[in-house]
Structures are given as structure tokens and as C-alpha cells.
Amino acid sequence: MNETFVGMPAFPEAAREALENGTLRGNLRHATHTIRAKRAAAVAEVSDWAELREAGSRIKEHTLRHLDRYLEQLEESVTAAGGTVHWAADAAEANRIVTRLVHETGESEVVKVKSMATQEIGLNEALEAAGIRAYETDLAELIVQLGEDRPSHILVPAIHRNRAEIRDIFRTAMADWGRPAPEGLSDSPAELAEAARLHLREKFLRAKVGVSGANFMVAETGTMVVVESEGNGRMCLTLPETLISVVGIEKIVPTWRDLEVFLQTLPRSSTAERMNPYTSTWTGTTDGDGPSAFHLVLLDNGRTDTLADEVGRQALRCIRCSACLNVCPVYERAGGHAYGSVYPGPIGAILSPQLRGTASEIDASLPYASSLCGACYEVCPVAIDIPEVLVRLRERVVEGGPAVREGNRVVLKPAKGHAAERAAMRAARWTFTRPGALRAGQRLASRARRLRPRTLPGPGAAWTATRDLPELPAEPFRDWWERTRGGKEETK
């Protein structure tokens, strides 16, 4: 678990501040609407998109069911190609491995490719504590790092910032991290990009150690794949003498042929491009070409526990395209920070509580950070049924029950604060299984409809704080049906 997010309040409290920030909401609305419109157009160009989506889902599901076999094959392939494989059970072990590997080079700084896995484990903070400075080289990640901020989107981590805010960050913070921003820097996108290019160039040319993640790992050859749009990744992957890649164990695909599917669906679903401008692949080490030492750190950190849940394991299919964030009405209004995780939006609402458990206040609330509208499922390029997993996790939060944590089968206790919900659901179950009681209750409610309060008391107050209590009909549906004989007048 990333220590950055420990102690965060529940999602409703965390989101309230974002909802009151008009600038933030405007930035999010403009960005998400633009991205999703472009994505829709890019996907519409592909006549067999539904078949590609189904193929991606089946490949991922097959791989997860045989994950042990493919991981062993990957280790053999990477080792045969000259790389070294390390296994990390959790974030702490992964951080220790990377820190040790950097120290063994004698270096005190690294350049980084954008990586969700390293954010998940808090690698930058761990390296800093060990006297090693990590430089983010992705433009959006650079903005976040210079602004001492946190990512708020999977694809565009600085989506919550506008151009004027980015200009101010560059002006005030660049000098503390290296080459300062040019004098008179404006908020022109071209000038901001040039300032970042000049700032990063010296780091690329100086760094001896690179750190990356990977979008995919090909088991049959031991090949790592990184897709990106700026070229910074290519610089980090080729110029340093040592390359360390931290990758979640679910990022594996069996063959190169399988990779073909995702190289079609990922760019269209994420950046709305027909193909990624930069697709970098590397297999171990090659004399005179690229890093002379390659280390692959395979990260579990709750993934095996997630794999044990037949419903929840769908989350491990995710290829981090972020399409679900861009169509989610909750994310659009609350932003990414409220999710208390490097994985915001709908996918974060099902992935984080499984990787970290539901013991904390923020993780227990994430399955409720959704309207269950289903838009996320419709755009997912690997057909993750996010609403289904959300309902499953809500049941776990309210009722507790069997689960796997740290490889052990345990029985979770119900989360605090849901006693009224459990009582209401049990009462509903009792009522709906007894038609006579249901009919009596409906008739009583209809006759007392004029006494209907505007808001509900107790736990129900949170629901009616943002909704109107529905009007009650003058008579129950069943009574109306019998009176009208199915809505048809009697014929003579």
C-alpha cells in the first residue's frame, strides 16, 4: 500500500472539496469530454472492434487462469536473454530490491518512464529516503512532481491542471530540480513543451540508471513493451547503462500474436490514436545496444489475492487505457484525488479495494463511488464488467465473508457504519419473500402518502441530502392492475 494515501477520509468526504472547486471541475469536464469524443471517433473507424474487444478479454482471462505457467515461462525467457528476474511479494520488498540495485551501481539518481506500478508502491519516496533522487520524464508526471502534487488520471496525471497553473509551476519549481524555466515563459503549449524538453534533456544524457514499468510482457520471448506518445520513454529505455523495470504480474501475455490485439485496442481507447507514436520493445540485453544490465521486478502486491476472487479477478484484465474514467459521471465531478489511490475512477474503485483490502475508510467507500450506470463497461476494451465487481465489493463491505488476504483464506468482518444498511436489506428480503406482507405495506404507504417527509431521518438523511424522496402513488400497482384487469376495460 502506498503510504501517501494512508489515513485518507472516505470517498464522499474526499470528493466534497473537489465538488466545491469550480476551476477543477471545469478542467476535468473539458478534458474528459474532449478525450472521449476523440476516442469514440477512433473506435468507430474499426469495423471489427467488438471482435477485438472479445479477443482481448479472452486472452486476458486465459492468461490469468494459467498465470503461474506463463510467469515461469517469462522468467526463463528473460534470463536466457541476459536479464535478471526478481520477485516482490509486496511494495516494501519491491522498493528494497530497486533501492539495492541502484546502490549497487554507485549512482544517486535515476530517470523514470511513466509507471503506475512504481506509483502504487511509492518507489520515488522510498528512493528519496535512501538518498536517491528519481526524475519523472513524462510531461504530465513532471508537472505533478514539480508541483508536489499527486496524479489524478491514469493517462493524463495532470488533467486537473490548466496551462496557466502549469506555467506557474515551471517558473517556480524547475530550478530546484535542474535547468530553470526560460525567462518570460508563457502558457503557450509549445513554450511549455520546449521548457520541459530542455529541462529533461540534460537528465537523459547524464543518467546511468533508468526505471520503467511495462504495458505488456511477452512470455514466449521475455520481451517488455512500453507504449507512449512523447519519446521520453525511448530515451530512458535506451540511454542508461542499467534498466530496472517494475511490472505487475498481470501484465503478461503469452505470445507476440496476442500482443497484436492490444496494440490495436490500447491506443484507440486511451489517446484516440490509430497507433502509439512510440512502441518500445526490448528483450534482455544486447552487446552495444541499449542498457548493459536489465532487471525485471515482478510485483504481486495483492494481485494473487485478487486472482482468487472469481468475480473480482476481472480487474486484472485492465490494460490501463483510462477510457472508463473519461465516461464516468462520478470521476468527472470528483476528480482523481478523491479516490485515494494512483488508480482513480471506475477501475480504481474495484482494483484498489482488492489490492489493499477494505479495512481502511477510503477503501471501504470506493465501491460506492459509482452510479452503476454501466458506461465504464461499455467502453472497456477488455470487457471488464465493472458494475458487477462493484456490487460484489459492496456486498463484501456490508456483509463481510470469505476472502484471500496475503495468500491466506480469511473471513472478513463487516465494515463499520453499515449496520443500518444490513438491517434494511434483511427487512427488504423478508418483505419481498412474503407477498401478503408486501401488499399490506404498499397499501399502508399509499394511504399515508400525505405524511411523506421531505427527507429521511437517521442514515437515510445522506441519501435525501442530494435527492428528492419519490412521490408515492395513490394506490399500489397490484391494486391498480386488479381494478383495471390488466389495464383493459371489460368488454360486453
Side-chain angles (χ1 to χ4, degrees), residues 449-487:
R449 66 184 185 280
R450 294 182 180 179
L451 302 177
R452 178 184 65 90
R454 291 184 176 275
T455 59
L456 294 175
W463 194 88
T464 53
T466 55
R467 304 171 180 84
D468 293 329
L469 199 62
E471 295 282 349
L472 291 170
E475 62 179 332
F477 173 80
R478 292 186 180 188
D479 290 354
W480 172 86
W481 183 268
E482 290 182 358
R483 179 172 59 80
T484 62
R485 295 189 177 183

Side-chain angles (χ1 to χ4, degrees), residues 32-56:
T32 55
H33 283 228
T34 300
I35 295 171
R36 76 190 191 203
K38 290 181 177 179
R39 177 202 173 274
V43 167
E45 295 177 349
V46 183
S47 60
D48 61 344
W49 180 260
E51 289 78 7
L52 284 169
R53 185 177 188 246
E54 178 65 18

Side-chain angles (χ1 to χ4, degrees), residues 35 114 140 152-160 322 331:
I35 295 171
K114 180 179 181 293
S152 63
H153 192 277
I154 290 176
L155 177 66
V156 194
I159 195 171
H160 56 291
S322 77
Y331 173 83

